[in-house]
Amino acid sequence: MWFACEGGRRFYVGAMASKSESSVRSRELGGELVRIRERAGLTGDALAKILHWSPSKVSRVESGKRGTREVDIAVYAASCGLKYGELEDLLALAREADTGYWVRPHEGRLPDELRTLIVQENSASTILSYEPLLVPGLLQTEDYMRVLFEWDVHADEHDVVRRSSTRLARQSLLRRRYPPQCTFFIRENVLREAVGSAKIMQEQVLKLIFFSDRPQCIVRIVPSDAGPVGVLGGPFRIMHHDDHPSVVYTAGYTTSLLLEKPAEIAIHRTALTKLDQIALDGGQSRHWLATLASYYD
């Protein structure tokens, strides 16, 4: 069990679970089934009547429980009017093995794997993020993210608009009635390196100040003189869920990786413990951000 401490406050971020009835892959599969059903305009109870299943069986399939049969997935999808080509993609997802980690390629463009991240974010009770390179996506302004997407050699204007709108939609997670408890560790240099104009950077810093004042969103700045933080590696986040084990998510330029093995999650928790020791606390970080905002003015 690990706790992130800040300003005397302590937050539960989850204990190791010995086993789970679901995995990252199977939960995404369940999320896809829910999306298909809702697109067909059906409730869970209505679909259960069509399939002659109990409502509990529909719920079990949609929650991503292990051991769901391919034939059940096919019958479920067909009853929702899914086309054959889409069904093949769905069954391919169902056949993938649960290995404790999951690699999702996306070749630099808006990834299909983003659905996986969205499922994990929206079901998380706690999100702990380390970002040594950029402002975390959940906290970016629209202008800041547009500059980033325009830098992508694979992106055209359509991609930029689509990726920006998708990321902005993800940010609604922090505005819902009961958002997850989030702690964002951000390296100082991320905010000193200009992305676009000084005005864009000032607005970005002001957005960080705004969200850091919310009780369930903590922004903590990691000073550049805190030590060789680079040994902790690249950006990652740990998402803790109340009803299944934690998941680590990390993304590269062409591939995203989701980790479920307890030993790998423990390593990332240890890295967060180190960051907890060297980062400014919430109050200090807000003061630092306010000073930086004045610099960009």
Side-chain angles (χ1 to χ4, degrees):
M1 188 177 295
W2 186 83
F3 290 84
C5 307
E6 185 274 307
R9 296 150 69 187
R10 298 174 69 82
F11 302 114
Y12 179 66
V13 298
M16 296 294 182
S18 58
K19 66 177 182 178
S20 173
E21 292 183 323
S22 67
S23 66
V24 172
R25 180 203 57 78
S26 64
R27 288 193 295 277
E28 182 180 357
L29 176 61
E32 283 294 290
L33 293 174
V34 172
R35 185 177 65 85
I36 291 165
R37 172 174 58 75
E38 291 178 343
R39 189 176 66 184
L42 295 170
T43 65
D45 287 346
L47 181 59
K49 291 179 180 178
I50 293 172
L51 292 169
H52 301 290
W53 290 359
S54 67
S56 63
K57 180 172 181 178
V58 172
S59 177
R60 187 168 62 254
V61 170
E62 292 181 346
S63 62
K65 300 298 184 183
R66 295 178 190 265
T68 300
R69 299 183 305 163
E70 283 187 33
V71 64
D72 287 339
I73 294 171
V75 171
Y76 179 112
S79 298
C80 295
L82 195 69
K83 296 179 180 178
Y84 180 75
E86 294 177 293
L87 176 60
E88 284 295 294
D89 293 339
L90 194 67
L91 293 178
L93 177 61
R95 294 180 188 120
E96 290 191 41
D98 291 324
T99 59
Y101 62 90
W102 199 19
V103 179
R104 298 289 267 155
H106 48 81
E107 300 177 353
R109 292 183 177 269
L110 180 67
D112 289 337
E113 124 291 348
L114 192 57
R115 293 177 185 169
T116 307
L117 175 59
I118 291 171
V119 168
Q120 297 303 312
E121 285 178 338
N122 280 282
S123 61
S125 57
T126 304
I127 298 175
L128 298 119
S129 170
Y130 168 53
E131 185 49 77
L133 303 173
L134 301 168
V135 172
L138 289 175
L139 298 176
Q140 291 175 4
T141 65
E142 183 173 3
D143 286 340
Y144 182 97
M145 69 180 68
R146 281 189 64 90
V147 173
L148 296 181
F149 292 145
E150 287 169 355
W151 262 78
D152 188 340
V153 296
H154 291 91
D156 56 26
E157 180 59 23
H158 175 71
D159 289 325
V160 171
V161 172
R162 182 173 55 152
R163 295 167 76 171
S164 297
S165 61
T166 300
R167 182 162 293 178
L168 289 170
R170 281 177 53 215
Q171 293 182 359
S172 64
L173 174 75
L174 301 180
R175 298 191 297 271
R176 71 189 190 191
R177 185 175 182 183
Y178 299 109
Q181 175 65 57
C182 296
T183 300
F184 299 94
F185 292 94
I186 307 173
R187 287 198 70 180
E188 173 184 344
N189 291 346
V190 168
L191 298 169
R192 292 200 180 278
E193 296 174 353
V195 172
S197 65
K199 182 175 183 294
I200 288 175
M201 291 305 299
Q202 184 188 46
E203 290 175 349
Q204 178 60 77
V205 173
L206 291 174
K207 182 168 184 175
L208 294 177
I209 295 172
F210 173 79
F211 275 99
S212 70
D213 199 43
R214 295 190 171 193
Q216 290 179 297
C217 184
I218 299 171
V219 175
R220 299 186 60 184
I221 302 301
V222 181
S224 58
D225 61 358
V229 184
V231 301
L232 299 179
F236 67 88
R237 74 191 66 179
I238 299 179
M239 292 170 281
H240 172 68
H241 308 82
D242 290 336
D243 55 356
H244 51 262
S246 301
V247 176
V248 170
Y249 175 88
T250 181
Y253 187 53
T254 60
T255 305
S256 296
L257 184 64
L258 294 105
L259 306 171
E260 298 179 279
K261 292 182 178 179
E264 291 173 324
I265 292 171
I267 290 172
H268 287 83
R269 281 193 172 123
T270 300
L272 286 175
T273 301
K274 184 65 177 178
L275 289 167
D276 181 59
Q277 295 168 352
I278 64 176
L280 303 179
D281 66 26
Q284 293 169 333
S285 295
R286 281 191 294 275
H287 178 75
W288 186 92
L289 289 167
T291 302
L292 186 62
S294 299
Y295 169 79
Y296 281 122
D297 190 359

